[in-house]
Amino acid sequence: MNIRILHGKQGAAEAAGLAVVIDVFRAFSTACYAYAGGCKAIYPTGSIAEAYRRQEELPGALLVGERGGVMVEGFDFGNSPSLIAAADVRGRSIVHTTSAGTQGLIGAAQAEEVITGAFVNAAAIARYIRQSAAREVSLIAMGLGGTEPADEDTLCAEYLRDLLLNRPVDFAEIRRYLAEDSTTGRFLDLVGEASAPKEDFDYCLDLDRFAFVLRAEWEDGRLVLRQIPVSAG
Ligand SMILES: O=C(O)[C@H](CS(=O)(=O)O)OP(=O)(O)O
């Protein structure tokens, strides 16, 4: 298996084979919590205007997302895993637009298959990749706004690579580093911003909470994330 670590929107555009678009803080942690809460489907979109157009096509859909980490005015929720986990999203479609994560899903157009990446389902991602027998794997660390590296995404890409190569991993040290030394968890700087609660840090670093992956598929001309359970072993 050939594994490449790529970065940001540029990396997404270069991704080949099975692509894992990684956004730990917070897009793809939030998406996992939404599926765990029973949402019907998540539609990743690029622009805010496109999100509103998609919502018109999907009556009753919730609008979820941010710009600069802050909930888009008029949306139902920001990009917050803890707030989504506390909400009743059962049976609801979600239209999701974020600065980095959803842009990466849209940009990875050359890849054969695209799944999301986060720590909350890291072991399931590694199992899914092994079971897929993919020969080429692109791990894309989306970073800040898809243009600057962010420690949490780079560390998640390296963590997934090491799992796949059966190398030792030390999640406790990653967590400690992100809590104490890293400065790239931008939403953590939005102190007092309701759509960026500090609890999101723990929600995003709840390693292996979920045993599924989210796979991006095209349905009726729309990109949608679908939940794929991954068996143990
Ligand atoms: O909502 C987030 O935490 C980030 C905002 S920013 O890129 O850190 O400003 O969005 P995401 O697309 O989930 O990285």
Side-chain angles (χ1 to χ4, degrees), residues 23 25-27 66 68-69 79 98-101 144-145 186-187:
D23 192 335
F25 296 154
R26 296 168 292 171
E66 57 67 42
N79 191 29
T98 74
S99 309
L144 296 171
R186 190 180 287 168
F187 81 92

Side-chain angles (χ1 to χ4, degrees), residues 169-232:
V169 288
D170 185 353
F171 183 71
E173 171 54 20
I174 290 173
R175 196 181 197 298
R176 186 211 62 74
Y177 176 79
L178 292 174
E180 296 174 18
D181 294 336
S182 174
T183 57
T184 58
R186 190 180 287 168
F187 81 92
L188 291 165
D189 297 334
L190 299 170
V191 179
E193 164 54 43
S195 63
K198 64 179 180 351
E199 290 77 16
D200 282 357
F201 182 86
D202 288 332
Y203 275 73
C204 293
L205 296 185
D206 195 352
L207 184 69
D208 299 334
R209 181 175 179 135
F210 305 118
F212 57 78
V213 299
L214 300 180
R215 188 166 68 201
E217 298 176 1
W218 285 95
E219 295 176 9
D220 301 327
R222 301 179 191 122
L223 192 64
V224 59
L225 291 178
R226 292 293 179 195
Q227 181 184 22
I228 314 288
V230 186
S231 55

